[in-house]
Amino acid sequence: MNVKKEIARRRTFGIISHPDAGKTTLTEKLLLFGGAIQEAGAVKSNKIKKGATSDFMEIERQRGISVATSVLAFEYNGTKINILDTPGHKDFAEDTFRTLTAVDSVIVVIDVAKGVEEQTEKLVQVCRMRKIPMIVFVNKLDREGKDAFELLDEIEQKLSLTVTPLSFPIGMGYDFKGIYNIWEKNINLFSGDSRKNIEETIKIQDIQSADLYKLIGEKPAETLREELELVDGVYPSFDQEAYLAAEQQPVFFGSALNNFGVRELLDCFITIAPTPRPKQSEERIVHPDEKEFTGFVFKIHANMDPKHRDRLAFIKIVSGVFERNTPYLHVRNGKKLKFSSPNAFFAEKKEIVDISYPGDIVGLHDTGNFKIGDTLTEGEEIHYKGIPAFSPEHFRYINNADPMKSKQLEKGIDQLMDEGVAQLFTLELNGRKVIGTVGALQYEVIQYRLEHEYGAKCTYEPLSVHKACWVEPKDSKSEEFKEFIRVKQRFMAKDKRGHLVFLADSPFTLQMTQQKYPNVKLHFVSEYK
Ligand code: G4P
């Protein structure tokens, strides 16, 4: 077993986009190339269709599908590719943020007509903060859209990226002729015969050559030459170091639906994308090629069957190898645990695996031991950092609607919070419980799941909170801090880990508070150090 070789051939990444930009379609085409699926349509979209925001069957359907598509692994040209699924729906943004802690790079899909959209902006911002290498794929070139240069500008401005096009479209929409691949120096002609799998790729070593004009016509050839000159003059040339350091982002153009420009993307991706990267723990940086196994939980999925309340905890392997039936230390609770049936995920199925390598994801059956962010090791007491909680957008009091079932309610809330469905805050003043979520949809999910999985009933009460701010006192003994706590007593709460949180009821309150107590630092993220 050559662990170094296994690490070197792994690429673990996520595809992020605003809903409808083509993430599912692109994923499917990548799987087709890997031979992991045989036909288009095999990967079910995990998105919640528009207008279905409060449709329960839809939520349940989504939960079912998302287990199957949580990790899609396949082999392509000797490379083991792990795609981690990220829900596009904004109500599940928190899930996506957490998944981004387990990827080594991302592909950002942008719709050529819509350009940079809101959800893309948010997700890219997180990737930028975490210095995750990004490749941009501009999709739907078979449709009329924005001019390529205009779009590249928009990507630079709105996403604060430094782009370098590695391919360039020849025409667009009705006039779309194909793609010039700057990376491979060839032309890929678009036949317009959609969903066709065969591509015609023609090597063009010199774009000045007369062949170009024969291929695409005089005018388009001239335009392409001018555009490529401009690309050359305006954008920096590709620099792999800069890409890996998240300082430069290559851009590809194509049409996922037509399977066009996807192979180019994939071929370049496996060449330049990072192998599993080292990860910072609270104690030290851990490298993938270290001998001893370490990994962390980035996602927990509850079983949909209420009779079997076991859950699946998704572990990203950071270092060493993970072996079946081997005891590992669950660092938070100090227990050694053995796993007899760790799952690996392939395109359409999951399988029990004996051994997994850094970059891989294993799914472990869990009866309530794991929380998001937990670390497993061979014995070393390390804690992986970087699964922060963001301030929720919605806040409501949660009340017990069935006094006979208060234990069940408590347990249910506790476990759902461990899964990361929402955040719980307990008010300092009266111990009332407040649930904070990213989207309104989660309240229904929680209510439904409490009833169906735990036999508990809850009701909600509105609460006007603008943002949850994690409090960092510069000096907790100072008069200023004491006064802040006293004056804002009604708005102080503890999060699930016991950290102090100020629930600001309006942007105005927040601003005034920051002005009045400059030494009390307020953070919108739970891990701010
Ligand atoms: P998402 O996962 O990012 O939300 O997007 P998804 O792949 O589901 O694609 C959204 C819509 O865009 C789908 O159409 C899909 O067929 C279409 N699409 C994806 N890539 C391309 C492309 O390159 N060109 C064109 N013209 N369309 C593309 P839909 O009608 O919403 O869904 P469906 O009924 O086709 O599944």
Side-chain angles (χ1 to χ4, degrees), residues 81-142:
I81 295 178
N82 296 313
I83 306 181
L84 306 197
D85 188 40
T86 55
H89 194 286
K90 70 173 176 21
D91 284 11
F92 292 89
E94 194 83 14
D95 257 6
T96 301
F97 293 143
R98 281 192 293 259
T99 300
L100 290 178
T101 62
V103 301
D104 297 305
S105 72
V106 300
I107 292 179
V108 186
V109 183
I110 290 175
D111 181 324
V112 69
K114 295 194 179 137
V116 173
E117 296 172 88
E118 185 197 340
Q119 206 52 21
T120 324
E121 262 180 84
K122 282 197 186 147
L123 295 170
V124 166
Q125 192 191 357
V126 175
C127 294
R128 252 193 358 252
M129 269 163 43
R130 293 175 177 274
K131 299 205 176 311
I132 300 175
M134 286 178 254
I135 295 180
V136 179
F137 181 72
V138 178
N139 190 27
K140 306 197 187 180
L141 262 288
D142 56 316

Side-chain angles (χ1 to χ4, degrees), residues 17 19-25 47 139-140 142-143 255-257:
S17 73
D20 275 347
K23 183 171 71 75
T24 313
T25 314
K47 66 184 172 185
N139 190 27
K140 306 197 187 180
D142 56 316
R143 285 198 188 158
S255 165
L257 187 65

Side-chain angles (χ1 to χ4, degrees), residues 180-187 202-206:
Y180 180 74
N181 189 334
I182 300 174
W183 172 252
E184 292 175 4
K185 286 207 171 55
N186 58 31
I187 278 193
I202 300 152
K203 282 256 173 265
I204 295 270
Q205 285 305 341
D206 179 8

Side-chain angles (χ1 to χ4, degrees), residues 396-464:
R396 291 183 196 170
Y397 285 119
I398 183 164
N399 298 323
N400 186 359
D402 182 352
M404 306 298 286
K405 299 281 170 66
S406 58
K407 275 232 164 66
Q408 285 87 333
L409 184 74
E410 204 147 302
K411 182 168 181 200
I413 293 178
D414 198 51
Q415 293 207 346
L416 292 182
M417 299 306 126
D418 285 353
E419 269 178 45
V421 177
Q423 292 180 57
L424 178 72
F425 302 97
T426 309
L427 288 185
E428 290 276 86
L429 196 62
N430 52 19
R432 286 194 73 179
K433 288 185 165 48
V434 173
I435 301 274
T437 67
V438 176
L441 197 56
Q442 267 93 339
Y443 289 106
E444 292 180 49
V445 174
I446 293 168
Q447 202 166 35
Y448 180 90
R449 289 190 56 192
L450 283 174
E451 189 168 343
H452 288 84
E453 293 171 33
Y454 299 90
K457 283 201 167 78
C458 74
T459 55
Y460 298 112
E461 235 177 275
L463 173 69
S464 171

